[in-house]
Amino acid sequence: MMAFALYSEHVLGLYPCPLCIFQRIAVIAVGLIALAAALHNPDGGGRFAYVFLAVVAGGLGVAVAGRHVWLQGLPPDQVPACGGASLDYLMETLPLMDALRQVLTASGECAEVSWRFLGLTMPMWVLISLTGLVLWVIGTNWRLPAQRRTTTA
């Protein structure tokens, strides 16, 4: 997913809005958690810790992508004002929580649809893909403990 995000930015010229950047962070986080789980291959509680972390990171990404899809579906007269400030500017001038609040509540520039594939926008694809990735992490790490075998002589 990140390879396509970078391709769309650097080759297609589709620069990410603030919500897109947060979605990228979530995708990277889930990917790193999945990689760590694969390399570590833990037993017992370790598997569940990786699943929990992936669900939290993926859930946050799905929530941001859902907000993005919702913004793109609003009629133009109901789109919140974006304020015209870039994410970099907001992060430099505002405390972290204020910058996050402003991005997540007033992201009018995120309502623009500049790309579609099979009728779905990029945030819709992120929503679907991130949900699938989290389900895959759950499925591969959430194994029931093996039944103990007893041998009788």
Side-chain angles (χ1 to χ4, degrees), residues 2 9 13-14 18 24 26 31 33-34 51 55 57 59 61 88 90 92 115 118 131 141 153:
M2 280 308 302
E9 179 180 350
L14 301 173
R24 287 181 181 192
I33 292 165
V51 169
V55 167
D88 293 335
L90 291 174
E92 289 174 8
W115 181 90
L118 298 177
T131 301
N141 286 294

PDB file of all heavy atoms in Angstrom, residues 2 9 13-14 18 24 26 31 33-34 51 55 57 59 61 88 90 92 115 118 131 141 153:
ATOM      1  N   MET A   2       1.952   1.195   0.747  1.00  0.00           N
ATOM      2  CA  MET A   2       2.832   2.373   0.786  1.00  0.00           C
ATOM      3  C   MET A   2       3.549   2.572  -0.544  1.00  0.00           C
ATOM      4  O   MET A   2       3.789   3.711  -0.946  1.00  0.00           O
ATOM      5  CB  MET A   2       3.847   2.253   1.925  1.00  0.00           C
ATOM      6  CG  MET A   2       3.254   2.613   3.273  1.00  0.00           C
ATOM      7  SD  MET A   2       2.433   4.216   3.291  1.00  0.00           S
ATOM      8  CE  MET A   2       3.741   5.305   2.796  1.00  0.00           C
ATOM      9  N   GLU A   9       2.087   9.748  -5.302  1.00  0.00           N
ATOM     10  CA  GLU A   9       2.588  11.077  -4.945  1.00  0.00           C
ATOM     11  C   GLU A   9       3.676  11.544  -5.906  1.00  0.00           C
ATOM     12  O   GLU A   9       3.606  12.649  -6.441  1.00  0.00           O
ATOM     13  CB  GLU A   9       3.131  11.060  -3.517  1.00  0.00           C
ATOM     14  CG  GLU A   9       3.689  12.399  -3.083  1.00  0.00           C
ATOM     15  CD  GLU A   9       4.235  12.389  -1.663  1.00  0.00           C
ATOM     16  OE1 GLU A   9       4.025  11.410  -0.930  1.00  0.00           O
ATOM     17  OE2 GLU A   9       4.878  13.387  -1.290  1.00  0.00           O
ATOM     18  N   GLY A  13       1.640  12.710  -9.173  1.00  0.00           N
ATOM     19  CA  GLY A  13       1.498  14.075  -8.684  1.00  0.00           C
ATOM     20  C   GLY A  13       0.313  14.292  -7.756  1.00  0.00           C
ATOM     21  O   GLY A  13      -0.158  15.418  -7.613  1.00  0.00           O
ATOM     22  N   LEU A  14      -0.167  13.244  -7.112  1.00  0.00           N
ATOM     23  CA  LEU A  14      -1.277  13.359  -6.169  1.00  0.00           C
ATOM     24  C   LEU A  14      -0.699  13.525  -4.766  1.00  0.00           C
ATOM     25  O   LEU A  14      -0.337  12.561  -4.109  1.00  0.00           O
ATOM     26  CB  LEU A  14      -2.164  12.104  -6.224  1.00  0.00           C
ATOM     27  CG  LEU A  14      -2.786  11.785  -7.581  1.00  0.00           C
ATOM     28  CD1 LEU A  14      -3.488  10.439  -7.542  1.00  0.00           C
ATOM     29  CD2 LEU A  14      -3.759  12.882  -7.981  1.00  0.00           C
ATOM     30  N   PRO A  18      -3.757  16.009   4.805  1.00  0.00           N
ATOM     31  CA  PRO A  18      -3.446  15.596   6.183  1.00  0.00           C
ATOM     32  C   PRO A  18      -4.040  14.244   6.576  1.00  0.00           C
ATOM     33  O   PRO A  18      -3.377  13.434   7.224  1.00  0.00           O
ATOM     34  CB  PRO A  18      -4.035  16.724   7.028  1.00  0.00           C
ATOM     35  CG  PRO A  18      -3.959  17.921   6.141  1.00  0.00           C
ATOM     36  CD  PRO A  18      -4.254  17.392   4.766  1.00  0.00           C
ATOM     37  N   ARG A  24      -1.387   6.864   6.074  1.00  0.00           N
ATOM     38  CA  ARG A  24      -0.081   6.269   5.785  1.00  0.00           C
ATOM     39  C   ARG A  24       0.615   5.827   7.065  1.00  0.00           C
ATOM     40  O   ARG A  24       1.224   4.761   7.114  1.00  0.00           O
ATOM     41  CB  ARG A  24       0.815   7.270   5.048  1.00  0.00           C
ATOM     42  CG  ARG A  24       0.425   7.513   3.628  1.00  0.00           C
ATOM     43  CD  ARG A  24       1.380   8.490   2.978  1.00  0.00           C
ATOM     44  NE  ARG A  24       0.999   8.751   1.605  1.00  0.00           N
ATOM     45  CZ  ARG A  24       1.766   9.381   0.737  1.00  0.00           C
ATOM     46  NH1 ARG A  24       2.945   9.847   1.108  1.00  0.00           N
ATOM     47  NH2 ARG A  24       1.355   9.581  -0.493  1.00  0.00           N
ATOM     48  N   ALA A  26      -0.779   4.875   9.820  1.00  0.00           N
ATOM     49  CA  ALA A  26      -1.452   3.666  10.296  1.00  0.00           C
ATOM     50  C   ALA A  26      -1.035   2.441   9.483  1.00  0.00           C
ATOM     51  O   ALA A  26      -0.790   1.367  10.050  1.00  0.00           O
ATOM     52  CB  ALA A  26      -2.965   3.847  10.245  1.00  0.00           C
ATOM     53  N   GLY A  31       1.990  -2.534   9.260  1.00  0.00           N
ATOM     54  CA  GLY A  31       3.016  -3.306   8.553  1.00  0.00           C
ATOM     55  C   GLY A  31       4.199  -3.649   9.442  1.00  0.00           C
ATOM     56  O   GLY A  31       4.695  -4.781   9.426  1.00  0.00           O
ATOM     57  N   ILE A  33       4.185  -3.840  12.738  1.00  0.00           N
ATOM     58  CA  ILE A  33       3.718  -4.782  13.757  1.00  0.00           C
ATOM     59  C   ILE A  33       3.639  -6.188  13.167  1.00  0.00           C
ATOM     60  O   ILE A  33       4.066  -7.162  13.797  1.00  0.00           O
ATOM     61  CB  ILE A  33       2.361  -4.329  14.339  1.00  0.00           C
ATOM     62  CG1 ILE A  33       2.549  -3.037  15.144  1.00  0.00           C
ATOM     63  CG2 ILE A  33       1.737  -5.423  15.198  1.00  0.00           C
ATOM     64  CD1 ILE A  33       1.254  -2.308  15.455  1.00  0.00           C
ATOM     65  N   ALA A  34       3.109  -6.298  11.953  1.00  0.00           N
ATOM     66  CA  ALA A  34       3.027  -7.606  11.298  1.00  0.00           C
ATOM     67  C   ALA A  34       4.418  -8.172  11.037  1.00  0.00           C
ATOM     68  O   ALA A  34       4.663  -9.374  11.228  1.00  0.00           O
ATOM     69  CB  ALA A  34       2.242  -7.495   9.994  1.00  0.00           C
ATOM     70  N   VAL A  51      -1.470  -8.986  18.046  1.00  0.00           N
ATOM     71  CA  VAL A  51      -2.815  -8.816  17.497  1.00  0.00           C
ATOM     72  C   VAL A  51      -3.442  -7.544  18.054  1.00  0.00           C
ATOM     73  O   VAL A  51      -4.023  -6.751  17.305  1.00  0.00           O
ATOM     74  CB  VAL A  51      -3.702 -10.052  17.803  1.00  0.00           C
ATOM     75  CG1 VAL A  51      -5.158  -9.770  17.482  1.00  0.00           C
ATOM     76  CG2 VAL A  51      -3.220 -11.251  17.012  1.00  0.00           C
ATOM     77  N   VAL A  55      -4.578  -4.357  15.847  1.00  0.00           N
ATOM     78  CA  VAL A  55      -5.978  -3.940  15.839  1.00  0.00           C
ATOM     79  C   VAL A  55      -6.095  -2.467  16.236  1.00  0.00           C
ATOM     80  O   VAL A  55      -6.872  -1.716  15.641  1.00  0.00           O
ATOM     81  CB  VAL A  55      -6.830  -4.847  16.756  1.00  0.00           C
ATOM     82  CG1 VAL A  55      -8.202  -4.254  17.003  1.00  0.00           C
ATOM     83  CG2 VAL A  55      -6.952  -6.233  16.140  1.00  0.00           C
ATOM     84  N   ALA A  57      -3.696  -0.026  15.944  1.00  0.00           N
ATOM     85  CA  ALA A  57      -3.146   0.808  14.862  1.00  0.00           C
ATOM     86  C   ALA A  57      -4.061   0.768  13.642  1.00  0.00           C
ATOM     87  O   ALA A  57      -4.357   1.810  13.040  1.00  0.00           O
ATOM     88  CB  ALA A  57      -1.738   0.337  14.497  1.00  0.00           C
ATOM     89  N   GLY A  59      -7.265  -0.025  13.582  1.00  0.00           N
ATOM     90  CA  GLY A  59      -8.544   0.596  13.913  1.00  0.00           C
ATOM     91  C   GLY A  59      -8.481   2.109  13.806  1.00  0.00           C
ATOM     92  O   GLY A  59      -9.413   2.745  13.310  1.00  0.00           O
ATOM     93  N   GLY A  61      -6.404   3.734  11.855  1.00  0.00           N
ATOM     94  CA  GLY A  61      -6.318   4.007  10.422  1.00  0.00           C
ATOM     95  C   GLY A  61      -7.663   3.874   9.728  1.00  0.00           C
ATOM     96  O   GLY A  61      -8.018   4.688   8.869  1.00  0.00           O
ATOM     97  N   ASP A  88       2.400  20.359   8.043  1.00  0.00           N
ATOM     98  CA  ASP A  88       3.692  20.777   8.590  1.00  0.00           C
ATOM     99  C   ASP A  88       3.551  22.070   9.399  1.00  0.00           C
ATOM    100  O   ASP A  88       4.087  22.184  10.501  1.00  0.00           O
ATOM    101  CB  ASP A  88       4.722  20.990   7.475  1.00  0.00           C
ATOM    102  CG  ASP A  88       5.092  19.696   6.779  1.00  0.00           C
ATOM    103  OD1 ASP A  88       4.966  18.634   7.411  1.00  0.00           O
ATOM    104  OD2 ASP A  88       5.507  19.762   5.613  1.00  0.00           O
ATOM    105  N   LEU A  90       0.812  23.300  10.782  1.00  0.00           N
ATOM    106  CA  LEU A  90       0.028  23.056  11.993  1.00  0.00           C
ATOM    107  C   LEU A  90       0.872  22.386  13.081  1.00  0.00           C
ATOM    108  O   LEU A  90       0.789  22.748  14.253  1.00  0.00           O
ATOM    109  CB  LEU A  90      -1.188  22.184  11.675  1.00  0.00           C
ATOM    110  CG  LEU A  90      -2.286  22.826  10.832  1.00  0.00           C
ATOM    111  CD1 LEU A  90      -3.358  21.796  10.478  1.00  0.00           C
ATOM    112  CD2 LEU A  90      -2.896  24.017  11.541  1.00  0.00           C
ATOM    113  N   GLU A  92       4.069  22.565  13.483  1.00  0.00           N
ATOM    114  CA  GLU A  92       5.097  23.481  13.980  1.00  0.00           C
ATOM    115  C   GLU A  92       4.531  24.575  14.885  1.00  0.00           C
ATOM    116  O   GLU A  92       5.204  25.021  15.805  1.00  0.00           O
ATOM    117  CB  GLU A  92       5.823  24.148  12.808  1.00  0.00           C
ATOM    118  CG  GLU A  92       6.733  23.215  12.043  1.00  0.00           C
ATOM    119  CD  GLU A  92       7.324  23.879  10.808  1.00  0.00           C
ATOM    120  OE1 GLU A  92       7.145  25.111  10.624  1.00  0.00           O
ATOM    121  OE2 GLU A  92       7.964  23.163  10.019  1.00  0.00           O
ATOM    122  N   TRP A 115      -8.761  11.040  -7.653  1.00  0.00           N
ATOM    123  CA  TRP A 115      -8.341   9.752  -8.189  1.00  0.00           C
ATOM    124  C   TRP A 115      -9.395   8.706  -7.858  1.00  0.00           C
ATOM    125  O   TRP A 115      -9.944   8.704  -6.757  1.00  0.00           O
ATOM    126  CB  TRP A 115      -7.006   9.358  -7.559  1.00  0.00           C
ATOM    127  CG  TRP A 115      -6.426   8.072  -8.025  1.00  0.00           C
ATOM    128  CD1 TRP A 115      -5.574   7.889  -9.075  1.00  0.00           C
ATOM    129  CD2 TRP A 115      -6.627   6.771  -7.458  1.00  0.00           C
ATOM    130  NE1 TRP A 115      -5.246   6.554  -9.193  1.00  0.00           N
ATOM    131  CE2 TRP A 115      -5.884   5.853  -8.206  1.00  0.00           C
ATOM    132  CE3 TRP A 115      -7.381   6.302  -6.394  1.00  0.00           C
ATOM    133  CZ2 TRP A 115      -5.858   4.485  -7.928  1.00  0.00           C
ATOM    134  CZ3 TRP A 115      -7.372   4.948  -6.109  1.00  0.00           C
ATOM    135  CH2 TRP A 115      -6.609   4.053  -6.866  1.00  0.00           C
ATOM    136  N   LEU A 118     -11.833   1.653 -10.214  1.00  0.00           N
ATOM    137  CA  LEU A 118     -13.041   0.836 -10.121  1.00  0.00           C
ATOM    138  C   LEU A 118     -14.155   1.561  -9.358  1.00  0.00           C
ATOM    139  O   LEU A 118     -14.920   0.954  -8.614  1.00  0.00           O
ATOM    140  CB  LEU A 118     -12.747  -0.516  -9.463  1.00  0.00           C
ATOM    141  CG  LEU A 118     -11.748  -1.415 -10.201  1.00  0.00           C
ATOM    142  CD1 LEU A 118     -11.503  -2.684  -9.392  1.00  0.00           C
ATOM    143  CD2 LEU A 118     -12.241  -1.753 -11.596  1.00  0.00           C
ATOM    144  N   THR A 131      -8.475  -2.826   6.539  1.00  0.00           N
ATOM    145  CA  THR A 131      -9.342  -3.796   7.210  1.00  0.00           C
ATOM    146  C   THR A 131      -8.888  -5.217   6.883  1.00  0.00           C
ATOM    147  O   THR A 131      -8.770  -6.064   7.778  1.00  0.00           O
ATOM    148  CB  THR A 131     -10.812  -3.594   6.793  1.00  0.00           C
ATOM    149  OG1 THR A 131     -11.209  -2.269   7.145  1.00  0.00           O
ATOM    150  CG2 THR A 131     -11.722  -4.609   7.458  1.00  0.00           C
ATOM    151  N   ASN A 141      -2.167 -14.794  13.587  1.00  0.00           N
ATOM    152  CA  ASN A 141      -1.595 -14.790  14.937  1.00  0.00           C
ATOM    153  C   ASN A 141      -2.535 -15.300  16.014  1.00  0.00           C
ATOM    154  O   ASN A 141      -2.110 -15.568  17.124  1.00  0.00           O
ATOM    155  CB  ASN A 141      -1.140 -13.378  15.319  1.00  0.00           C
ATOM    156  CG  ASN A 141       0.114 -12.997  14.593  1.00  0.00           C
ATOM    157  OD1 ASN A 141       1.151 -13.574  14.807  1.00  0.00           O
ATOM    158  ND2 ASN A 141      -0.012 -12.036  13.698  1.00  0.00           N
ATOM    159  N   ALA A 153       0.538 -46.055  27.279  1.00  0.00           N
ATOM    160  CA  ALA A 153       1.416 -47.190  26.983  1.00  0.00           C
ATOM    161  C   ALA A 153       0.760 -48.476  27.354  1.00  0.00           C
ATOM    162  O   ALA A 153      -0.105 -48.623  28.100  1.00  0.00           O
ATOM    163  CB  ALA A 153       2.726 -47.039  27.740  1.00  0.00           C
TER     164      ALA A 153
END
